[in-house]
Amino acid sequence: MKRVLLIEDEMPIAQLLTAYLERAQYEVTWDIGEGNVLDVYLNCRPDLVLLDLMLPDHDGLEILQQVRQYGSCPVIILTARGSVPDRLQGLGQGADDYISKPFDPDEVVARVHAVLRRSAYLEDNAVIRMGHLVIDLTARTASLYDQQLVLAPRDWAVLAFMAKHPNQCFTREQLLDQVWGMDYEGGDRAVDAAIKRLRQSLQKWPASEGEILTVRGTGYKLHV
């Protein structure tokens, strides 16, 4: 039985979704979003999180970021904030899907099915090997010549994102949106600093296997 953690402070919505999900053979844990939600997540160890953004004690996007720090558990956002900027912000910070209220509970169940199928596929393909460089997307680690690299979380996220899109050039703005999030207020020099640190960590990686290249006037790409 797949476990779903439902973080929703409106009881009628929570009861409705719980009934539909349990009918679809999911095990549901409901939390109203008060107190330490991260403890609930770590104790539950769900296969998927349904997350309301507008909670009494928390910003849902902060919970999303905390979940992302502990792994790649799929997260579907449920919220009345359904504008395009809100959706882009949620997806940019790592949500797997975004459903606006009011919604059809059958559609929510269908979205849960779809995201879990996609997640299962990614888990089967969660290790990227580029010669002697190995990136584990589930464990959020990278190793070179069987030695684990010590990378800051965002440096690892930059490497993982580029590894999932080899030989594709990204501007600094695109990397900021994908890794730092669309609400990041710092400058794009953060990308340059992350690339510099990654190059130092990967200096023993043979150029014949791959390297991070600067595309003049555009940005960066992981050339393999």
Side-chain angles (χ1 to χ4, degrees), residues 126-128 133-144 147-151 156 159-160:
V127 177
I128 299 174
L133 177 64
V134 179
I135 302 168
D136 190 321
L137 301 178
T138 301
R140 297 181 68 85
T141 60
S143 59
L144 185 61
Q147 297 294 316
Q148 186 166 320
L149 301 175
V150 179
L151 301 176
W156 181 90
L159 178 61

Side-chain angles (χ1 to χ4, degrees), residues 56 78 92 129 133 143 157 179 219 222:
L78 299 171
R129 301 180 186 276
L133 177 64
S143 59
V179 177
L222 182 60

Side-chain angles (χ1 to χ4, degrees), residues 22-39:
E22 289 180 344
R23 189 176 65 182
Q25 302 301 308
Y26 291 103
E27 178 185 331
V28 181
T29 297
W30 174 40
D31 186 81
I32 63 175
E34 293 181 343
N36 194 331
V37 179
L38 184 59
D39 281 348

Side-chain angles (χ1 to χ4, degrees), residues 11-213:
M11 183 177 293
I13 292 177
Q15 291 175 332
L16 178 66
L17 287 177
T18 297
Y20 273 74
L21 288 165
E22 289 180 344
R23 189 176 65 182
Q25 302 301 308
Y26 291 103
E27 178 185 331
V28 181
T29 297
W30 174 40
D31 186 81
I32 63 175
E34 293 181 343
N36 194 331
V37 179
L38 184 59
D39 281 348
V40 177
Y41 168 79
L42 293 175
N43 289 330
C44 177
R45 287 295 179 184
D47 297 291
L48 181 141
V49 177
L50 281 171
L51 173 64
D52 184 15
L53 288 189
M54 302 175 69
L55 297 168
D57 293 341
H58 301 280
D59 181 344
L61 290 178
E62 292 179 0
I63 295 175
L64 172 60
Q65 292 172 351
Q66 291 175 343
V67 169
R68 280 288 160 266
Q69 290 175 358
Y70 281 87
S72 56
C73 176
V75 178
I76 298 178
I77 288 176
L78 299 171
T79 184
R81 287 156 47 181
S83 68
V84 171
D86 284 330
R87 290 200 301 271
L88 290 176
Q89 184 180 26
L91 294 170
Q93 293 195 21
D96 295 87
D97 204 349
Y98 197 110
I99 303 175
S100 299
K101 297 178 181 179
F103 49 74
D104 184 327
D106 281 321
E107 180 186 358
V108 175
V109 173
R111 297 279 192 99
V112 168
H113 284 330
V115 169
L116 284 173
R117 280 198 306 269
R118 187 165 67 241
S119 176
Y121 171 80
L122 290 175
E123 286 178 6
D124 291 339
N125 297 273
V127 177
I128 299 174
R129 301 180 186 276
M130 297 177 170
H132 291 88
L133 177 64
V134 179
I135 302 168
D136 190 321
L137 301 178
T138 301
R140 297 181 68 85
T141 60
S143 59
L144 185 61
Y145 292 105
D146 297 323
Q147 297 294 316
Q148 186 166 320
L149 301 175
V150 179
L151 301 176
R154 277 189 170 146
D155 293 356
W156 181 90
V158 170
L159 178 61
F161 176 74
M162 297 179 76
K164 287 187 286 186
H165 304 87
N167 300 317
Q168 183 174 339
C169 181
F170 294 97
T171 66
R172 292 175 177 85
E173 291 75 16
Q174 288 172 322
L175 291 171
L176 282 174
D177 287 347
Q178 292 294 328
V179 177
W180 279 260
M182 298 186 70
D183 61 343
Y184 177 70
E185 296 180 353
D188 58 12
R189 292 302 175 189
V191 175
D192 296 336
I195 294 294
K196 181 179 180 180
R197 290 190 296 268
L198 283 173
R199 284 172 170 163
Q200 290 174 343
S201 297
L202 298 173
Q203 57 186 327
K204 294 182 180 179
W205 191 29
S208 59
E209 295 181 355
E211 60 183 327
I212 299 176
L213 297 180

